[in-house]
Every structure is written in structure tokens, then in C-alpha cells.
């Protein structure tokens, strides 16, 4: 595929638009994603389980995960999963 800039061919935007219309092609624009801003956690908790995931009885040890889910239309949803380690 030929790149006009590499071949040093100079055409106006109007001329390029005319050729694209003749060929029936359209540009596909991908929206830019917002810049990622790294931040600190809202709260940090100490590791109380220390990889000891076995629970002797129900409701003794629970784990949770909070995740952001980005939907195609740009909205953001949240998923919070909680599990009782006695069942796992």
C-alpha cells in the first residue's frame, strides 16, 4: 500500500475526498481513549489471611473483588464479587 507522504506526493484534502468518493471508500476514525491517570487506592487493607484460605466454618473468612467494567458505549459499570471461603 502506497503512502503519499513517503512517495512525496502532495494532494489537497478536497482532491483526496474526491478520489475516495469515486472509489466508494470511507475513513474509519477510532475515538481516542482518555489518558490513564495512575492514582493511589482509596483504602489499603493489610493482608489478614496470609494465604491461609481454608475456613473451618461458614462466615469465618470472606474475600471480595471490586472491578470496573467498561461498556462499548463508553459507560462504566462496577462488579463486586464476594465469596465465603468455607464453600470454596
Amino acid at each position: 500500500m502506497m503512502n503519499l507522504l513517503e512517495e512525496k506526493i502532495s494532494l489537497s484534502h478536497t482532491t483526496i475526498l474526491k478520489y475516495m468518493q469515486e472509489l466508494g471508500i470511507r475513513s474509519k476514525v477510532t475515538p481516542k481513549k482518555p489518558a490513564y491517570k495512575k492514582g493511589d487506592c482509596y483504602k489499603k487493607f493489610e493482608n489478614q489471611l496470609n494465604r491461609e484460605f481454608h475456613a473451618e466454618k461458614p462466615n469465618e473468612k470472606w474475600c471480595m473483588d471490586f472491578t470496573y467494567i467498561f461498556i462499548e458505549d463508553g459507560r462504566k459499570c462496577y462488579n463486586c464479587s464476594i465469596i465465603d471461603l468455607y464453600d470454596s
Side-chain angles (χ1 to χ4, degrees):
M1 187 168 179
M2 182 175 75
N3 187 340
L4 296 176
L5 293 175
E6 289 176 359
E7 299 293 326
K8 299 197 180 2
I9 298 173
S10 177
L11 296 173
S12 70
H13 292 280
T14 307
T15 304
I16 293 173
L17 177 63
K18 182 181 77 171
Y19 286 132
M20 289 177 66
Q21 288 173 341
E22 282 181 17
L23 295 171
I25 58 176
R26 300 180 68 178
S27 64
K28 182 177 180 181
V29 178
T30 305
K32 292 183 178 179
K33 293 182 180 179
Y36 177 75
K37 295 178 186 175
K38 184 173 180 165
D40 290 331
C41 294
Y42 175 68
K43 283 189 176 182
K44 293 183 182 179
F45 298 95
E46 66 179 70
N47 182 2
Q48 295 180 354
L49 292 178
N50 295 321
R51 301 190 64 82
E52 296 176 19
F53 300 114
H54 180 71
E56 297 294 328
K57 57 186 178 181
N59 297 325
E60 183 180 46
K61 295 181 182 178
W62 291 61
C63 287
M64 62 91 60
D65 179 51
F66 191 82
T67 305
Y68 297 98
I69 301 171
F70 296 95
I71 302 177
E72 287 182 7
D73 63 4
R75 292 184 302 153
K76 183 170 38 173
C77 293
Y78 307 97
N79 179 40
C80 181
S81 303
I82 303 172
I83 185 171
D84 184 357
L85 295 179
Y86 179 73
D87 294 337
S88 57

